[in-house]
Amino acid sequence: MLRRALWLGWGRGLLGLGLGTRRGVSTLEWDGKVSEIKKKIQSVIPGGAWNPLYDTSHLPPEHSDVVIVGGGVLGLSVAYWLKRLEKQRGAIKVLVVERDHTYSQASTVLSVGGIRQQFSLPENIQLSLFSVEFLRNINYLAVVDDPPLDLQFNPSGYLFLASEKGAATMENNVKVQRQEGAKVCLMSPEQLRNKFPWINTEGVALASYGLENEGWFDPWSLLQGLRRKVQSMGVLFCQGEVTRFVSSSDRMETPSGEEVILKKIHEVHVKVDHSQEYQPVECAIVVNTAGAWSGQIAELAGIGKGPPGTLQGTKLPVEPRKRYVYLWHCPQGPGLEAPLLADPSGAYFRRDGLGNNYLGGCSPTAEEEPDPGNLEVDHDFFQDKVWPLLAQRVPAFETLKVKSAWAGYYDYNTFDQNGVVGPHPLVVNMYFATGFSGHGLQQAPAVGRAVAEMVLEGHFQTIDLSPFLFSRFYLGEKAQEHCII
C-alpha cells in the first residue's frame, strides 16, 4: 500500500515541492531535484528491494576508477590493456562512454584498414610493429563460446612511390625503418615495371615496398572483437555524451617562477542519449580518446583556456578533417598481388576483395579542405582530382566505374600530424590517445598499452612515446611524421 500511495502521490508531491512546472528552473537544477526526491522516497520504503519509479539501467554507474571518453578502437584498446595489466582481476573499474553506439560516424569503421611500418619516425615504426604482431595473434581477443575472430588480414604490403625530389627522403626513411626491424626494400623504376607491369613509372625515381607485416584488415571486425573482449573482462559501456567535468584546482609555482594552476577531475557528467538526464560519475582518471572531437573534450576540461603563449593557454591542436573514400570496379585493373599503392601526388588505392574492386582516394590540399560539418561525399572531387592521378599511374583505371563512396573523419593534429599520448601536464588526471591524423587504427593496440602503462605505472614501458606527450605543443617541439597518406 505504501508503494501504491507513493506512486499515486508522485505528481502531487512534485507540485507540493514547487516542481510541478519547469518554468524558470534549469535542466540541471530539475534533474538534480528529481534525483534527490527519488532518494528520499526510496529511504522511507521499508525492507527489501525497491522497484524504481523508472528503469535506470541505461545510466552509467555513479563511480568508476577510469572513464574513457570515446569507444572507438583506441578507447577500447586502452580499456583492454587496463584490464589485462591490472594486478588483480576486477581491481580496476572501467567505463567507456560512446555517444554513437552504431559507430556510423566513427573514424575506425570508415577507414580503409591499412597497416604499415613505412613511417619516418622510429616511434611510429615501433608502434606499428607491435600492433601487427597483436593483430596476427588475434586470439588475445578470444571470448569463451564466441566464434573465432577473423580480421581478414591481407598481407599484400604497401608500395610508396617517390619522385626525383622525394627519393633522398625515401632512402633515409627506409634506413630508419630497417634499423627498427621493418622488412622494406627499395626498388628502381625498372624493378618496379618487372614486378608490377600495370604501373606507369613515368616520374618515379624510387619505390619502397613492404615485404612483411604490411597490408590491410577489416576495421569493423577489430572493433567488435575488442568490444566483446573488454565486456567479458568487466568493462562497462554507456551510450551518452560527456558534457561537463567537475574539477578542483591548486596553484603552484614552477622553478622559473611562473605560477600555474593544477587541476584534477573528480566527476564526469554524462548526458544520456535521447534524454535531458545526466549522470555524474565520480572517477580517478579520464582518458580522452574522442578522436576528431577530442579537442572539444579537452576544452571542456579547461585545457587551452589561459593566456596565449603559456602552458595553461596551450590548446590540444586536434580537429576533424573530412576525407573521402571511393570504391570502384575495373575489370582490367591490378591483380591479386597488388599492394596498397601510395603515389607521390597523394593518391592511393588498394584492392577490395577478389572481384576487381578497389578502394582509394586522395587527401585534399589546404585550399581544397572540405567542410567537416557533415559527411556528404563530393563526387566531383573524384572526377576532377583523384581519377586523373589514378589513371596516370595505372592506365587500366581509365575505364574504372565508381560503385560507391563515403566520407570519414581524421582526428587531425594540426601541429605535426602525429599522435598525442599520455597525461596532460596541468589537468593531471586526463590522459590522451588521439591526434593520429589517419594512422590511429593501425597503431591502436600499441597505443592502448602505452596509455595503460602510463596510468598504472607512471611511465612508458614497452615503447617510449615521450616525443608524443602534450608538452611538445607548448615547447614547440614537433614530432614531424613525413609519411602521411
Side-chain angles (χ1 to χ4, degrees), residues 324-328 360-362 377-390 397 400-402 405:
Y324 307 119
V325 179
Y326 302 91
L327 172 66
W328 64 87
C362 183
V377 175
D378 182 352
H379 293 277
D380 289 338
F381 185 74
F382 183 85
Q383 296 291 329
D384 300 338
K385 303 290 183 180
V386 184
W387 192 4
L389 300 174
L390 292 170
F397 283 159
L400 65 78
K401 294 279 191 298
V402 176

Side-chain angles (χ1 to χ4, degrees), residues 71-73 76-77 79-80 103 108-109 134-135 138-144 146-151 217-233 235 237 441 445:
V73 163
L76 295 176
S77 178
Y80 168 79
Y103 293 98
T108 294
V109 298
F134 183 90
L135 297 178
I138 203 61
N139 285 338
Y140 290 129
L141 302 185
V143 175
V144 176
D146 272 11
L149 186 60
D150 180 13
L151 294 183
F217 61 93
D218 178 28
W220 179 252
S221 294
L222 178 60
L223 178 80
Q224 291 302 309
L226 272 167
R227 190 178 169 99
R228 282 196 300 268
K229 182 62 177 180
V230 299
Q231 282 180 308
S232 77
M233 299 167 94
V235 171
F237 283 82
L441 169 67

Side-chain angles (χ1 to χ4, degrees), residues 135-189:
L135 297 178
R136 299 196 80 156
N137 294 280
I138 203 61
N139 285 338
Y140 290 129
L141 302 185
V143 175
V144 176
D145 296 331
D146 272 11
L149 186 60
D150 180 13
L151 294 183
Q152 302 169 45
F153 181 62
N154 187 314
S156 293
Y158 268 63
L159 179 66
F160 279 84
L161 307 182
S163 62
E164 197 70 52
K165 182 182 175 184
T169 299
M170 176 175 279
E171 284 192 76
N172 290 333
N173 290 346
V174 169
K175 185 178 178 183
V176 175
Q177 291 155 16
R178 287 172 174 168
Q179 285 171 348
E180 296 300 330
K183 302 292 190 293
V184 183
C185 73
L186 288 169
M187 301 175 75
S188 67

